[in-house]
Amino acid sequence: MFSALGFLLKNVIILIESYKKRGGIMKLSVNIISDTSGYATEQIVKVSLSQFNVETVINIYPDIRDIDYLKDILNFIIETGDNFMIYHSFQDSRMNVYINDFCELNNITYVDITGYSIRAISKKLDLKPKYSFSDESFYETDQFKTLNSLDFAIKYDDGKDFRSLKACDIAIIGVSRSSKTPLSIYMASKGYKVCNVPIILNTSLPDELFEIDSKKIFGLTIDKNILKSFRDERLKSLDLSGKSQYSDLRRIQKELDYAKAIMEDLSCVIIDVTNRSIEETADIIINHIKQ
């Protein structure tokens, strides 16, 4: 059980050093969440913490087997906690998916003991895990992964929450009406977690976009005249037809130039979607990812 202590200690060290740099008095809260008693995880935490002279509080949330209850606990920890981390161990893969995504989106230091153990065994045996460590095997099926990806794409569409960039598989950027949303939904149907970020003229992009691997960022560009026709149709659908900066050709050209400069600065793949179907664009992205 304690063969993973080196890995676990690193997580504690990172959090402590980060807090010391901010000049704080070190007091660490460790939250253990498990679908069992949490006793085994508590022993790992105590052995890890014994390596540090630090005031600690250990909170244990045992027998958590309902995802709604898990959501309430995580929200409670965020609302009431200051300097904390999370250890968790679940047999139910659905719970693992949810809590890992939650921690990554909220920039929470966490240790997934079950996941770490499975990966270590997989590496040693050079075998892929069956991912059937739960009676609820539906949550590891392609159907669940697709539903989870679709929920992700809808929840974080059009830059609704930039924290999603740290947890996504693919980040799509581009100006308005460059097909970001339909492409995101289509990619999600293939099981990819996708977020898209709008590029708005003379508006800074989120720092998170510059902190992730540029290989998973894809910029969409399009012919200015085609884009103008799309925007004209959009205005008509909103009963806003007439002169508008939104569909002004000179304004559109400035937006496209601004977007291209940002994409080049990010060193991301740039895809011209002019006269290209969503499926064709998706194939280009998938091929890049597989390479």
Side-chain angles (χ1 to χ4, degrees):
M1 177 176 68
F2 294 100
S3 62
L5 277 179
F7 168 78
L8 304 178
L9 282 169
K10 287 181 181 178
N11 287 275
V12 180
I13 293 170
I14 290 170
L15 192 60
I16 290 175
E17 291 302 319
S18 173
Y19 199 70
K20 283 181 177 179
K21 288 179 181 178
R22 298 198 301 267
I25 298 173
M26 195 63 225
K27 183 176 181 180
L28 178 66
S29 173
V30 179
N31 299 280
I32 298 171
I33 309 175
S34 177
D35 54 5
T36 60
S37 67
Y39 176 76
T41 303
E42 182 185 12
Q43 302 314 303
I44 292 176
V45 170
K46 285 183 175 179
V47 171
S48 300
L49 290 172
S50 69
Q51 303 297 313
F52 306 94
N53 294 320
V54 55
E55 185 179 350
T56 59
V57 175
I58 298 177
N59 304 307
I60 302 177
Y61 302 90
D63 301 315
I64 308 302
R65 293 170 187 170
D66 179 82
I67 198 161
D68 289 327
Y69 190 23
L70 174 61
K71 293 176 183 178
D72 291 339
I73 289 172
L74 291 171
N75 288 326
F76 173 77
I77 290 173
I78 282 187
E79 291 170 3
T80 59
D82 179 21
N83 189 47
F84 65 88
M85 63 186 298
I86 291 175
Y87 279 71
H88 72 83
S89 175
F90 288 101
Q91 297 179 62
D92 184 346
S93 53
R94 172 183 59 162
M95 307 288 261
N96 272 65
V97 168
Y98 183 84
I99 194 169
N100 288 343
D101 284 351
F102 183 93
C103 289
E104 289 174 9
L105 289 173
N106 289 280
N107 199 28
I108 297 171
T109 300
Y110 72 97
V111 179
D112 173 4
I113 291 179
T114 302
Y116 174 77
S117 178
I118 289 173
R119 288 192 297 272
I121 295 172
S122 174
K123 183 177 180 180
K124 174 64 178 177
L125 299 177
D126 194 25
L127 293 172
K128 290 185 178 181
K130 294 182 292 183
Y131 290 110
S132 57
F133 54 93
S134 167
D135 291 332
E136 301 182 63
S137 57
F138 163 74
Y139 297 104
E140 287 301 336
T141 64
D142 290 338
Q143 182 183 0
F144 172 71
K145 291 177 180 177
T146 297
L147 291 174
N148 190 42
S149 296
L150 285 169
D151 180 66
F152 188 93
I154 293 169
K155 187 175 181 180
Y156 301 110
D157 179 45
D158 208 27
K160 289 178 181 175
D161 189 338
F162 295 131
R163 293 175 301 173
S164 62
L165 288 164
K166 294 183 179 180
C168 71
D169 300 317
I170 298 166
I172 296 173
I173 62 174
V175 300
S176 175
R177 310 308 293 175
S178 59
S179 74
K180 297 187 303 300
T181 295
L183 178 60
S184 297
I185 298 299
Y186 182 81
M187 295 297 298
S189 74
K190 299 294 184 182
Y192 295 96
K193 288 184 179 178
V194 185
C195 63
N196 69 73
V197 180
I199 297 179
I200 302 171
L201 187 61
N202 299 325
T203 301
S204 299
L205 288 170
D207 293 337
E208 290 88 345
L209 190 63
F210 294 86
E211 296 170 356
I212 64 175
D213 188 348
S214 63
K215 292 179 181 178
K216 68 177 183 179
I217 304 174
F218 294 86
L220 307 184
T221 188
I222 186 172
D223 177 80
K224 62 181 179 181
N225 294 300
I226 298 293
L227 181 56
K228 174 176 168 54
S229 68
F230 288 163
R231 291 189 176 184
D232 284 337
E233 288 299 319
R234 177 59 174 166
L235 290 172
K236 286 180 183 178
S237 70
L238 298 173
D239 292 325
L240 296 173
S241 56
K243 288 187 177 181
S244 169
Q245 274 199 328
Y246 183 67
S247 61
D248 179 78
L249 201 55
R250 285 175 295 181
R251 170 85 177 188
I252 287 175
Q253 185 62 64
K254 288 181 181 179
E255 287 185 45
L256 291 171
D257 291 342
Y258 179 66
K260 184 179 179 182
I262 288 174
M263 293 171 191
E264 290 175 347
D265 187 41
L266 286 166
S267 298
C268 69
V269 174
I270 302 175
I271 304 173
D272 188 340
V273 298
T274 306
N275 299 322
R276 181 171 273 143
S277 69
I278 296 297
E279 293 81 2
E280 289 174 321
T281 304
D283 285 342
I284 293 172
I285 293 175
I286 292 172
N287 287 333
H288 273 282
I289 291 174
K290 288 182 177 180
Q291 289 175 3

